[in-house]
Amino acid sequence: MKRELTEIEIVAIGDELLSGATIDLNAAVIARTLEPLGLRVTRKTTVGDVPEAIAAAVETALQRAGAAITTGGLGPTQDDVTMEAVAGVFGRGVEFRKDLWQALEARWARRGRAIPESNRKQVEVPAGAEVFPNPRGTAPGLAVEDDRLGICVLLPGPPHEMENILRDSVAPYLGRRVGSGARRPFRRIVRTAGIAESAIAERVGDRLADLAVDVAFLPEVDCNDIRLTAWGENEDETSGALDEAVDRVRRILGSHIYAEEEIELAEAVGVLLRERGLTVAVAESCTAGLIAGRLTEPAGASDYLWGGMVVYDDKAKVELLGVSEDTLARHGAVSEETVREMAEGACRRSGADAVIAVTGIAGPTGGTDEKPVGTVWLAVRLGASTVTALRHYPGTRDMVRMRAAQGGLDLLRRTVLEELR
Amino acid sequence: MKRELTEIEIVAIGDELLSGATIDLNAAVIARTLEPLGLRVTRKTTVGDVPEAIAAAVETALQRAGAAITTGGLGPTQDDVTMEAVAGVFGRGVEFRKDLWQALEARWARRGRAIPESNRKQVEVPAGAEVFPNPRGTAPGLAVEDDRLGICVLLPGPPHEMENILRDSVAPYLGRRVGSGARRPFRRIVRTAGIAESAIAERVGDRLADLAVDVAFLPEVDCNDIRLTAWGENEDETSGALDEAVDRVRRILGSHIYAEEEIELAEAVGVLLRERGLTVAVAESCTAGLIAGRLTEPAGASDYLWGGMVVYDDKAKVELLGVSEDTLARHGAVSEETVREMAEGACRRSGADAVIAVTGIAGPTGGTDEKPVGTVWLAVRLGASTVTALRHYPGTRDMVRMRAAQGGLDLLRRTVLEELR
C-alpha cells in the first residue's frame, strides 16, 4: 500500500554547488511546481559528488519525509554517481537498460551521428526504477520506490532538462500519491510600484486579520509584491476569502497596484499602451537604455515602442534632443528644466504619443550636498502636457538605475491612467 | 585547545528558501570567501523557520565538520528563532546584551528616530557569544564556540548585511583557526568572448595535462570562463604552474581572451576606450539599449560614452540615423546594408570616434527561412572605416539579445585592437 505524501525533501548534488561556482535554481522550481499539488518541500540538502554523502542525505531525507528528489549527478562522467548511490540506499544494483540505449542511439542517428560510448553509463539505472523521458538530454528522469523507504525521484541537473521532466512526468507521478483530502495552498499575487514595503505593511496592517488568508510582503529592488495564500482542499473553498482579501488590498493601495498576476511593470505598461493604441519614445541619461531594454523584453514591443535616445553626455542631450546649452549651464543636467526639455525634444523628434525622460545621479560619485547620489528627475510627456517628478532613490549605482527605470515606467503608467479618467 | 579547521557546513534558514520564493545567493558568496583561506564548504542544509529543524541541522553539521555557518533567522519577528536554536545546541541560554542595545539606540538617535522595541530581540544573543558588528543592519553577526562541539557562526540573511560581516569579521576570525600548513587553492581566471565552450574545450584539450593545474570551463550565456586552480600551501608554490597554464591558454585562444580578471566585457571595453582616449556611440535595434546599459554599469562611463540611439521602429532608423527608406525596403531592417547605414548615421550624428550598431531578429516571432530567429547583423565604425559581421545566435529572445549585445561589444574590442597593430 502506498503512503499518502505531504512532504518531500530535495537533495541537490554537485561540487560546483558547494564551491559557489553555480547557483542552484532547480530547488525553487521544484518547490513551486509541487506546492500546488499539496506537497511541501521541508528541507534541502546540498552535497558534493561523493557517493557516501549522497546516500546518507537521501537516506535521512526518506526517513524524515518519506519522499526525496535528487538533482544532478546523472551525467556520463566519472563524477556522476547519483544512480549507484541511490540504488545502494534501496539495496539494489544498477541495470543496463537496453531499451533506453536503443532509443538514444536512434535519436543520435536521426541527427546523423553516433552516440558516444560514455553515454552508456546514463542508462545504467537502479534496478526496477520507473523511467521518465528527457526530451532535451541523454539522462532520463527516474523514480525508485519501495514500501519501507518511500519514493526517491532522480532528475538531471541542467535546469532546462530538469524542468521538462518535472512538469511533464514527475508532477503527475507524485500528484497521484498525495491524498485527495490534502490541504493545498491557493494564492493570489498583487504587484505594486512606487511604494515602499514598509509603507505597504503599515497601510495593510491587520486589515486582513479576520480572513483565513496568509499575507506575505515580498520586497524586490524595484517593486513590492503582496502574496495572499489561503489553504484548502480546492479552489472553491478558498476563493471567497482570497477575493475579499484582494479587494481590500485594492482599496488600500489603489493605483500603486500595477498587476494582479506575475508580470513585470514594463510588460504591464506595454499592455496598457497597446490597448490604448499609444506609441512611446524614451530619453534616458542615467538609466542609459535600461527603460528601452525593459520595454523590449516582451516580444511584440514594436507595437508601441518607437525607440529612444540615450543621452549620457550633455552633448548628446543638445544634439539629439535639442536641450538648450543655457539650461544645462544654469540648472545642470539633473534638473526639472533639463528633464522637461529632454521630454519635449524627444516628443518633437519621434512624433511618439508619449515620452519617458530620466536624468539623475546614479553614483557612486558625482553627488553634491544639494543633489546627492540618488537624485533623479523623471518626466512624462503625453499629448501636449509634461509632468515631472523628483525622486531620491537609495542604494548602490545599480539599484538607483533600476529604481529610476522603474520610476519612469510607473510615471508613464499613472499618467496614462489619469488621462483616461 | 582549538582544532584546526579544514571543512565547514552551511545551514541556510528560512521558509522562503524552501518555498522557492527566494533564491539563496549567500552560500556561494560564503564558499568563495572561505575557500582561499583553505576552508571548504562540504555540505549545505536548508531548513525552514523551525527551531527543532535548525538545531538538528546545526548539530549534525558540527558533528561532521566541526564548524558551521548559519544564515537567516536573526530578524526581529517571531519567525526568527536561530539564536535560541543555536544557543540550545550549545546547552546555553540567550542573554540580553545591553551594550549592543545602547549602540543601536545611539545609531537610530543619530537619524533622529527611536528604535522600535521589537528590535530588542535581536540583541538577545547566545550567552558568551562573540559579536561581529553589522554596519548595515540591526542583527549582529555572532560566533558560538566550545571545545566539544566546535564553532557555529550566525549571520543575517539579507545579502548586503551578510557580505559585510563575512568579509570584515568572519573571514579573519575563521582564518585564524585554519592550520598554517593547510593546502589551499590558488586560482587564475581567463575570460573569453566570441568562442563557444565546446570550441574552447576542444582547443585546450589535454594541453595542460602535464601541469598540476585543474582546468574548469565555466559557460555563461554570453561569455565563457576558464578557471585554473593549483593547490598548495602558498602562492609561491603554485605560481609557476599557474603562470605556465595561463601562458598556454593565451597562446591557444589569442584575442578571444578579453580579460584575466573577473570583469565584464563591457568594463574591459570601457577600460580600452579610456586608455586610447576614444569616445563611442551606439545604434541599437534588437538590443534596444542593452549595450548602452552595459557600458554604463561601471561608474565613470561618461569618459567614453557619448550616448546612443535606440532605433526599434524603422521610422526611428530613418529619423535618427538617416537610414534610407530605399535600403530598408530593398534589403530589410536586418541586413548588412542597413547595419552599415546605422553605424555611419550614428557616427555623423554623434561625432564619436567609434560606433557599435546592431540589428537582428530576437524572436520568438519574425523569423523567416532566409533570416531565421537569431540572425543578427553587427557593425563597428572606427575612424573612416566600417566593419560588419553576420551572426546566428541560438537560444530564447533574452539569450539572443544578450549575445547580440556581447557580440557588438566584442566586435568593437577586436576592431580597436586590430587598429593598433
Side-chain angles (χ1 to χ4, degrees):
Chain A
M1 202 200 78
K2 312 248 191 276
R3 292 183 242 189
E4 292 199 344
L5 295 181
T6 56
E7 296 183 355
I8 194 162
E9 295 197 7
I10 295 173
V11 178
I13 297 160
D15 288 344
E16 73 284 4
L17 300 174
L18 289 175
S19 72
T22 304
I23 303 287
D24 177 36
L25 302 173
N26 287 330
V29 175
I30 293 171
R32 294 168 68 147
T33 304
L34 299 185
E35 194 197 60
L37 307 175
L39 204 48
R40 208 160 51 90
V41 173
T42 47
R43 184 184 287 232
K44 175 185 154 194
T45 309
T46 308
V47 293
D49 299 305
V50 180
E52 299 73 29
I54 298 169
V58 168
E59 202 162 349
T60 52
L62 292 176
Q63 282 162 10
R64 279 185 299 254
I69 295 191
T70 69
T71 55
L74 302 183
T77 74
Q78 284 212 320
D79 285 358
D80 296 299
V81 294
T82 302
M83 291 212 266
E84 298 87 324
V86 173
V89 170
F90 283 84
R92 306 184 192 180
V94 295
E95 59 184 6
F96 174 72
R97 285 281 297 262
K98 201 170 171 191
D99 56 328
L100 300 177
W101 181 245
Q102 287 170 338
L104 284 182
E105 280 184 323
R107 215 155 99 194
W108 286 60
R110 280 196 295 278
R111 290 186 279 162
R113 294 163 63 190
I115 186 163
E117 276 299 304
S118 61
N119 290 88
R120 287 181 82 93
K121 187 166 176 302
Q122 295 186 287
V123 295
E124 288 170 2
V125 312
E130 174 133 0
V131 174
F132 306 123
N134 177 357
R136 300 208 174 184
T138 47
L142 298 162
V144 188
E145 184 171 4
D146 80 17
D147 287 349
R148 189 175 51 89
L149 294 169
I151 301 176
C152 183
V153 171
L154 292 77
L155 291 173
H160 64 289
E161 298 184 28
M162 193 289 297
E163 282 176 34
N164 258 285
I165 308 174
L166 176 71
R167 189 190 56 225
D168 296 342
S169 303
V170 174
Y173 176 86
L174 291 175
R176 287 192 293 275
R177 282 158 177 78
V178 178
S180 56
R183 281 162 60 80
R184 298 183 288 143
F186 293 86
R187 299 204 192 283
R188 302 285 169 83
I189 192 94
V190 176
R191 307 199 85 166
T192 71
I195 180 167
E197 186 200 6
S198 55
I200 295 175
E202 208 170 284
R203 289 204 207 170
V204 174
D206 56 5
R207 292 169 65 184
L208 308 180
D210 60 310
L211 300 171
V213 170
D214 300 338
V215 184
F217 303 108
L218 309 174
E220 314 241 344
V221 168
D222 51 9
C223 69
N224 290 292
D225 295 347
I226 300 147
R227 197 181 58 193
L228 304 163
T229 308
W231 290 76
E233 284 181 34
N234 54 55
E235 182 100 50
D236 286 352
E237 202 180 295
T238 56
S239 61
L242 285 172
D243 287 347
E244 172 64 22
V246 170
D247 208 55
R248 288 192 203 168
V249 171
R250 259 187 228 132
R251 267 178 276 140
I252 297 166
L253 298 177
S255 65
H256 285 297
I257 298 170
Y258 76 78
E260 294 179 10
E261 56 184 320
E262 293 213 22
I263 63 171
E264 299 298 324
L265 177 59
E267 190 172 353
V269 168
V271 169
L272 184 64
L273 293 172
R274 187 183 283 120
E275 274 173 14
R276 308 296 160 180
L278 297 171
T279 57
V280 66
V282 298
E284 305 187 58
S285 182
C286 64
T287 53
L290 294 185
I291 297 179
R294 289 194 176 185
L295 281 170
T296 50
E297 270 170 27
S302 47
D303 292 352
Y304 43 83
L305 181 67
W306 177 83
M309 285 131 288
V310 176
V311 289
Y312 208 65
D313 193 310
D314 283 356
K315 281 183 242 149
K317 295 183 182 72
V318 174
E319 163 61 25
L320 286 179
L321 299 173
V323 174
S324 93
E325 288 180 0
D326 184 56
T327 301
L328 288 167
R330 274 210 278 173
H331 304 285
V334 179
S335 65
E336 182 167 21
E337 291 77 3
T338 296
V339 82
R340 182 180 289 276
E341 289 186 25
M342 284 170 62
E344 289 166 359
C347 181
R348 274 195 310 277
R349 179 126 249 166
S350 64
D353 302 312
V355 165
I356 304 173
V358 183
T359 179
I361 300 158
T365 58
T368 62
D369 282 352
E370 203 193 333
K371 295 177 187 173
V373 168
T375 303
V376 175
W377 274 100
L378 306 172
V380 160
R381 175 138 185 121
L382 183 65
S385 65
T386 304
V387 295
T388 60
L390 174 62
R391 299 276 189 266
H392 295 282
Y393 294 115
T396 61
R397 176 178 176 84
D398 264 5
M399 287 157 91
V400 169
R401 279 158 45 97
M402 286 170 69
R403 287 171 167 147
Q406 199 83 343
L409 288 165
D410 195 45
L411 188 61
L412 173 61
R413 182 183 70 85
R414 289 159 166 281
T415 309
V416 171
L417 290 175
E418 284 287 315
E419 186 78 352
L420 301 170
R421 273 200 282 178
Chain B
M1 204 201 74
K2 310 249 193 278
R3 292 183 242 190
E4 294 198 343
L5 295 180
T6 57
E7 298 183 353
I8 193 162
E9 295 197 6
I10 295 173
V11 178
I13 297 160
D15 289 343
E16 72 284 5
L17 299 175
L18 289 175
S19 72
T22 303
I23 303 286
D24 177 36
L25 302 173
N26 288 330
V29 175
I30 294 171
R32 294 168 66 146
T33 304
L34 298 186
E35 195 197 60
L37 306 176
L39 204 48
R40 209 159 49 90
V41 173
T42 47
R43 184 184 287 234
K44 174 185 155 193
T45 308
T46 309
V47 294
D49 299 305
V50 181
E52 298 75 25
I54 298 169
V58 169
E59 203 163 348
T60 52
L62 292 175
Q63 281 162 11
R64 278 185 299 254
I69 295 191
T70 69
T71 55
L74 301 183
T77 75
Q78 284 213 320
D79 284 357
D80 297 299
V81 293
T82 302
M83 290 212 268
E84 298 87 323
V86 172
V89 169
F90 283 83
R92 308 185 192 180
V94 294
E95 60 183 7
F96 175 72
R97 285 282 296 262
K98 202 171 171 191
D99 55 329
L100 300 177
W101 181 245
Q102 287 169 338
L104 284 182
E105 281 183 324
R107 214 154 99 193
W108 286 60
R110 280 197 295 277
R111 291 186 280 163
R113 293 162 63 189
I115 186 162
E117 276 298 305
S118 60
N119 289 88
R120 288 181 81 91
K121 186 165 175 303
Q122 296 186 287
V123 296
E124 288 170 4
V125 312
E130 173 133 0
V131 174
F132 306 123
N134 176 358
R136 301 209 172 183
T138 46
L142 298 162
V144 189
E145 183 171 4
D146 80 19
D147 288 349
R148 191 175 50 88
L149 293 169
I151 301 176
C152 184
V153 171
L154 292 76
L155 291 173
H160 64 289
E161 297 184 29
M162 192 291 295
E163 282 175 36
N164 259 286
I165 308 173
L166 176 70
R167 190 190 55 226
D168 296 343
S169 303
V170 174
Y173 177 85
L174 291 175
R176 287 193 292 276
R177 283 159 177 80
V178 177
S180 56
R183 280 163 60 81
R184 298 184 286 144
F186 293 87
R187 299 202 192 284
R188 302 284 169 83
I189 192 94
V190 176
R191 307 201 85 166
T192 71
I195 181 167
E197 187 202 6
S198 55
I200 295 175
E202 207 169 284
R203 290 203 206 172
V204 174
D206 54 6
R207 292 169 65 183
L208 307 180
D210 59 311
L211 300 172
V213 170
D214 301 338
V215 185
F217 303 108
L218 309 175
E220 314 239 344
V221 168
D222 51 9
C223 69
N224 291 292
D225 294 349
I226 300 147
R227 196 181 58 194
L228 304 163
T229 308
W231 290 76
E233 284 182 31
N234 55 56
E235 182 100 49
D236 286 352
E237 202 181 295
T238 56
S239 61
L242 285 171
D243 287 347
E244 172 63 22
V246 170
D247 208 55
R248 288 191 203 169
V249 170
R250 259 186 228 133
R251 270 179 275 139
I252 296 166
L253 298 177
S255 65
H256 286 296
I257 298 170
Y258 75 78
E260 294 178 11
E261 58 183 320
E262 294 213 20
I263 64 171
E264 299 299 323
L265 177 59
E267 192 172 353
V269 168
V271 169
L272 185 64
L273 294 170
R274 186 183 283 120
E275 274 173 14
R276 309 295 162 180
L278 297 172
T279 59
V280 66
V282 298
E284 305 188 57
S285 182
C286 65
T287 51
L290 295 186
I291 297 180
R294 289 193 176 187
L295 281 170
T296 50
E297 271 169 27
S302 47
D303 291 353
Y304 42 83
L305 181 67
W306 177 84
M309 286 133 285
V310 176
V311 290
Y312 208 66
D313 193 308
D314 282 355
K315 280 182 241 150
K317 294 183 183 72
V318 174
E319 163 61 26
L320 286 178
L321 299 173
V323 173
S324 94
E325 289 181 358
D326 184 55
T327 300
L328 287 167
R330 273 210 276 173
H331 303 285
V334 180
S335 64
E336 183 167 19
E337 290 79 3
T338 296
V339 83
R340 182 180 290 275
E341 290 186 25
M342 285 169 62
E344 289 166 1
C347 182
R348 274 196 309 277
R349 179 128 252 166
S350 65
D353 302 311
V355 166
I356 304 173
V358 183
T359 179
I361 300 158
T365 57
T368 63
D369 282 352
E370 205 192 334
K371 294 177 187 173
V373 167
T375 304
V376 175
W377 274 101
L378 306 172
V380 161
R381 176 137 183 121
L382 183 66
S385 65
T386 304
V387 294
T388 59
L390 174 62
R391 297 278 189 266
H392 295 282
Y393 294 115
T396 60
R397 176 178 177 84
D398 264 5
M399 287 157 91
V400 169
R401 278 157 45 96
M402 285 170 70
R403 287 172 166 147
Q406 200 82 341
L409 288 165
D410 195 46
L411 188 62
L412 174 61
R413 183 183 68 87
R414 289 159 164 283
T415 309
V416 171
L417 290 176
E418 284 286 316
E419 187 78 354
L420 301 170
R421 273 200 283 175

